Amino acid sequence: MKRSVVAVTAVAAAAVLAMSACSSSKNNNSPTTAAAPPATSAPAPATSAPAPATSAPATSGTLSTNGNSYKFTFIEGILGDPFYVTMSCGIKAEAANIGNISVDVQGGKTWDVTVQTPIINAVTAAKPDAIMVAPNDVKASRTPIAAAMSAGIKVVLVDTTLTDASGAVSQIASDNLAGGKAAFEAIKEAVPGGGKVIAINTVAGVSTTDQRQKGFEDAAKADSAFTLLPTQFDKDDASIAAQVTSAALAANPDIVGIFATNLFSASGAAAAIKQANLTGKVFVVGFDAGPDQVKALQDGTVQALIAQEPYNIGVQAVDQAVLSLTGGTTNPQIGTGSTIITKDNLSSPESQQALYKASC
Ligand code: T6T
């Protein structure tokens, strides 16, 4: 079995370039009022990151509820995931900045449309003015979300979306297709000679991770030096991700690169790498930058993280809801940026600001 030693520094530069070239940058037009969380002042090797993930865009302070009091509910894709926790921090901060908005946060303990649907239905029955929701399934989540819209509730789709998103105030998400492609480019830069690569994904039918898988697979298939192994699924559960990654490594001891499409997939992949004593020998790219992912980066089980902007998504979502409730002009589609984090640039202000929070 021959393995390449990972060249992390070169990869960092290439991966950042790849994301800068293909990811959507912040392109929202809506006014925002929430202040960004304080940046750390660590000196930094700058990485020309496309966008700091937890910072809110320039503040205008022009939004108001026009004297009305509003109730908003945020339904997370899965409860307690640092990605959605960070988004809830942006939602709460923006709601507080605008004023007269209460925020309730809900979510299921597993990523499962049959768990999330009754939660959406119960929230609809409570009649908030707006719901921000990350649907668990592109198709099956349409029914409860359409019911919320029919009840006159403004719905903002955050992170994940629906195949039929008609009636939503706005869809706000990262460029997930570009993210998947960037993950492959990072592996390619570290292992230019090629070899076997694999994606560890959550569950089919999730808009974000479907797109990441597609971006990765399309790029890998287009490069004859690489062999794309069948994507493995983990139900958004780190222990299943560890199992399927271990099985893939056992069946293919010559895997050179792994793309874990989200936080739980990356936690599991990192655990499997550690267990197989392959730390630093297989290049692992993980989407998202929660506390566990940062540890994995530091201990060398994961080489690169693609951090999204959940805080910013939350800020934008509140703005879109307020605009729709007050007769303002909304933006049907808002793309948010990403930052590629490696061990080398982890201490930079951009990377530190991009890290997700375990609490607000
Ligand atoms: O990657 C994020 C989110 O974008 C995705 O839709 C589901 O997984 C996360 O929440 C991370 O766990």
Side-chain angles (χ1 to χ4, degrees):
M1 177 175 73
K2 199 172 147 211
R3 292 192 182 277
S4 316
V5 174
V6 164
V8 175
T9 310
V11 168
V16 168
L17 280 176
M19 269 311 262
S20 309
C22 58
S23 83
S24 74
S25 55
K26 282 178 192 158
N27 60 359
N28 63 81
N29 303 318
S30 61
T32 54
T33 55
T40 64
S41 57
T47 57
S48 67
T54 54
S55 69
T59 62
S60 72
T62 55
L63 278 184
S64 110
T65 62
N66 295 341
N68 298 309
S69 290
Y70 293 134
K71 286 185 184 156
F72 288 2
T73 300
F74 172 36
I75 304 174
E76 302 186 346
I78 182 169
L79 203 61
D81 173 340
F83 173 81
Y84 294 114
V85 170
T86 307
M87 196 182 295
S88 77
C89 300
I91 289 173
K92 287 173 189 164
E94 184 67 343
N97 274 319
I98 294 171
N100 290 330
I101 302 171
S102 67
V103 176
D104 180 33
V105 179
Q106 307 255 350
K109 289 190 180 133
T110 52
W111 189 286
D112 183 340
V113 70
T114 68
V115 171
Q116 193 189 49
T117 295
I119 295 171
I120 299 174
N121 289 337
V123 169
T124 297
K127 284 202 170 278
D129 298 287
I131 295 175
M132 289 94 202
V133 58
N136 273 191
D137 187 273
V138 282
K139 288 203 171 77
S141 299
R142 170 74 197 173
T143 305
I145 288 174
M149 293 170 185
S150 299
I153 299 166
K154 305 291 186 191
V155 175
V156 181
L157 300 173
V158 286
D159 177 47
T160 51
T161 189
L162 299 168
T163 306
D164 174 8
S166 57
V169 170
S170 185
Q171 300 171 70
I172 310 172
S174 310
D175 187 338
N176 292 292
L177 197 65
K181 184 176 182 214
F184 174 74
E185 296 298 336
I187 293 172
K188 183 178 169 173
E189 181 68 21
V191 196
K196 290 181 183 172
V197 293
I198 188 168
I200 308 298
N201 199 0
T202 57
V203 60
V206 180
S207 63
T208 50
T209 46
D210 280 356
Q211 288 288 296
R212 292 170 203 165
Q213 178 186 340
K214 182 172 167 31
F216 180 78
E217 288 184 347
D218 287 353
K221 280 184 210 155
D223 192 324
S224 59
F226 287 86
T227 304
L228 177 67
L229 296 172
T231 294
Q232 298 298 303
F233 293 90
D234 59 36
K235 298 186 176 165
D236 207 27
D237 180 323
S239 61
I240 301 176
Q243 283 165 28
V244 298
T245 307
S246 294
L249 286 166
N252 301 276
D254 49 350
I255 286 177
V256 298
I258 296 176
F259 171 41
T261 68
N262 84 335
L263 200 141
F264 298 102
S265 308
S267 288
I273 288 285
K274 217 179 233 174
Q275 208 196 1
N277 285 322
L278 290 173
T279 297
K281 296 193 175 118
V282 176
F283 194 89
V284 182
V285 184
F287 231 85
D288 299 305
D292 282 356
Q293 284 62 56
V294 173
K295 273 189 212 124
L297 200 63
Q298 283 164 333
D299 73 20
T301 44
V302 168
Q303 279 64 48
L305 302 177
I306 300 175
Q308 306 183 71
E309 296 188 347
Y311 188 96
N312 182 21
I313 294 173
V315 170
Q316 302 298 330
V318 169
D319 289 353
Q320 291 300 306
V322 169
L323 284 165
S324 74
L325 285 162
T326 55
T329 305
T330 55
N331 187 342
Q333 208 133 23
I334 297 176
T336 48
S338 308
T339 303
I340 298 209
I341 305 177
T342 63
K343 204 171 185 176
D344 285 356
N345 70 24
L346 180 60
S347 63
S348 74
E350 289 89 353
S351 295
Q352 287 296 308
Q353 224 181 9
L355 302 181
Y356 302 175
K357 298 164 185 300
S359 62
C360 294

